[in-house]
Amino acid sequence: MFDPAAGYPTHRPRRLRGNPRLRDLVRENVLTRDDLIYPVFVYHGSDVSREIPSMPGQRQWSLDRFGEVVDEAADLKLPGIMIFGIPEHKDARGSAALRDDGIVQEAVRLAKRRAPELLTITDLCFCEYTDHGHCGPLSEATGRTDVDNDATLPLLVEQAVSHCRAGADVIAPSGMMDGMVRALRAGLDGSGFAHIPIMAYSSKFASAYYGPFREAAESAPSFGDRRGYQMDPANGDEAVREAALDLAEGADVIMVKPALAYLDVARRLKDEFRVPLAAYNVSGEYAMIKAAAERGWIDERRIVLETLTGFKRAGIDMILTYHAPDVARWLQRG
Ligand code: PBG
Ligand code: ZN
């Protein structure tokens, strides 16, 4: 190990910075197209391709138009898409999420037909499907209105198995219910889907950065907030414990969400567990860059590439980002 006190002769770090080829040689982290997953929104109805006002460049797609964004992702050779669905009918239990002909299930079928090599990763949760906007059915059993953790688990399994029957390649439970990974692993194994990996949203924080997404997915809670199940942004040790639990329960990939304000958490998880690590560069992070770029206040391309390269430096292996198509295009051009 380099010890500055010993008078190591390389006390002129600039020697390695003057020549661009040398800079290439000593570069520690490289962002590539293969690191990216593109989150997309499928909306009920027909002939919908509607830009989300707080997420410039991102759209809600009805199934009959969804092929356009599938083709874009496939043509750019992105590794995968993360599919979110906004159903027509919401109810207290989110039952639209469980139908084999549900919106995400149909979107998966369409994507696999159209671009078999493109990974379909499905977000597993109920907040887009419940009329109250919480991530599972509610109960009063604890003396306050709360998501019923244990009643949510079999519903998540049902949703996951239905996604897998449609052809989902990876499932990504995002609801932060206790025991969800264990229940899902057992449920998938028992239904012939032992080969399907689980990408667990292990440390998902109760964040204000989700605002634009909730507009896009029409999934804002109608009362209260999600602090009873998502994590307190102040906690890092707890994120390590949550990831340890998910790994013990059978998670194949763990995730940190959001990304920018939580890169310390990402680094801790990478150092602690050395397992594949994902980060979700969420809607609010995207919106901030787009807003400043639209005003001409920042150089969008350089800011995005710097940001995502920073994620790699923090130990993140795969990045869920709405910037994915732009990044793929920028990196193509070299
Ligand atoms: C909910 C969910 C959220 C996001 C994806 N799924 C957050 C929330 O509403 O609590 C946020 C993604 C983003 O902001 O881009 N299960
Ligand atoms: Zn949710």
Side-chain angles (χ1 to χ4, degrees):
M1 189 61 174
F2 165 55
D3 175 9
Y8 195 77
T10 306
H11 57 275
R12 284 183 174 271
R14 290 186 51 193
R15 273 184 205 128
L16 296 175
R17 293 187 196 137
N19 180 301
R21 296 285 87 82
L22 267 176
R23 288 200 296 271
D24 288 346
L25 286 171
V26 301
R27 182 164 305 119
E28 298 174 37
N29 294 285
V30 180
L31 176 71
T32 76
R33 178 188 69 197
D34 300 336
D35 302 319
L36 307 175
I37 297 166
Y38 185 32
V40 294
F41 301 97
V42 191
Y43 199 86
H44 63 83
S46 61
D47 202 26
V48 179
S49 167
R50 184 172 37 233
E51 189 168 38
I52 300 151
S54 53
M55 300 175 71
Q58 305 307 309
R59 295 178 169 271
Q60 296 167 326
W61 301 93
S62 53
L63 280 166
D64 57 330
R65 304 276 310 262
F66 181 54
E68 296 172 34
V69 71
V70 170
D71 289 351
E72 183 188 23
D75 291 346
L76 290 167
K77 298 202 162 48
L78 290 170
I81 53 175
M82 163 82 89
I83 302 177
F84 293 95
I86 303 108
E88 184 169 9
H89 299 292
K90 305 193 185 218
D91 61 23
R93 288 174 72 246
S95 46
L98 307 176
R99 303 168 55 116
D100 279 335
D101 63 352
I103 190 149
V104 165
Q105 289 85 342
E106 292 297 348
V108 168
R109 277 189 199 95
L110 186 149
K112 292 315 288 183
R113 266 199 313 272
R114 215 161 159 122
E117 72 291 351
L118 182 69
L119 290 171
T120 51
I121 305 169
T122 57
D123 181 86
L124 222 56
C125 203
F126 288 97
C127 45
E128 296 97 344
Y129 302 90
T130 53
D131 49 17
H132 45 74
H134 282 284
C135 298
L138 302 175
S139 140
E140 317 285 333
T142 58
R144 63 190 168 89
T145 308
D146 190 14
V147 174
D148 187 336
N149 191 91
D150 294 1
T152 306
L153 301 182
L155 298 174
L156 281 169
V157 172
E158 231 186 291
Q159 187 186 23
V161 169
S162 177
H163 287 181
C164 290
R165 275 200 294 262
D169 295 298
V170 179
I171 60 153
S174 70
M176 291 299 282
M177 295 300 123
D178 294 339
M180 68 181 183
V181 176
R182 183 190 305 278
L184 284 165
R185 191 65 274 160
L188 291 175
D189 292 355
S191 310
F193 296 113
H195 59 292
I196 299 293
I198 297 176
M199 177 190 286
Y201 288 67
S202 300
S203 21
K204 177 172 180 180
F205 291 89
S207 170
Y209 283 101
Y210 305 147
F213 173 93
R214 291 182 185 175
E215 178 187 23
E218 299 175 359
S219 63
S222 61
F223 66 91
D225 54 44
R226 299 208 210 290
R227 279 183 279 202
Y229 38 105
Q230 297 178 350
M231 284 180 49
D232 184 335
N235 296 353
D237 291 345
E238 187 187 356
V240 178
R241 294 199 299 274
E242 277 278 11
L245 269 174
D246 281 357
L247 289 167
E249 293 181 18
D252 300 283
V253 178
I254 55 175
M255 194 198 295
V256 178
K257 176 180 177 181
L260 266 181
Y262 301 89
L263 291 185
D264 60 319
V265 173
R267 172 44 68 192
R268 286 179 70 178
L269 295 185
K270 192 59 176 181
D271 287 347
E272 185 82 18
F273 301 113
R274 301 269 160 207
V275 299
L277 177 63
Y280 200 138
N281 175 217
V282 301
S283 56
E285 301 175 271
Y286 176 83
M288 292 195 303
I289 287 181
K290 292 305 261 191
E294 271 178 9
R295 283 160 184 74
W297 292 348
I298 58 169
D299 178 333
E300 178 177 2
R301 173 185 161 142
R302 290 190 54 206
I303 291 262
V304 170
L305 294 177
E306 179 179 335
T307 302
L308 302 194
T309 302
F311 295 175
K312 297 293 302 286
R313 196 191 59 244
I316 292 158
D317 300 296
M318 54 195 105
I319 305 166
L320 293 112
T321 180
Y322 305 100
H323 298 290
D326 283 338
V327 171
R329 278 185 285 266
W330 293 330
L331 295 179
Q332 242 166 24
R333 271 189 255 120

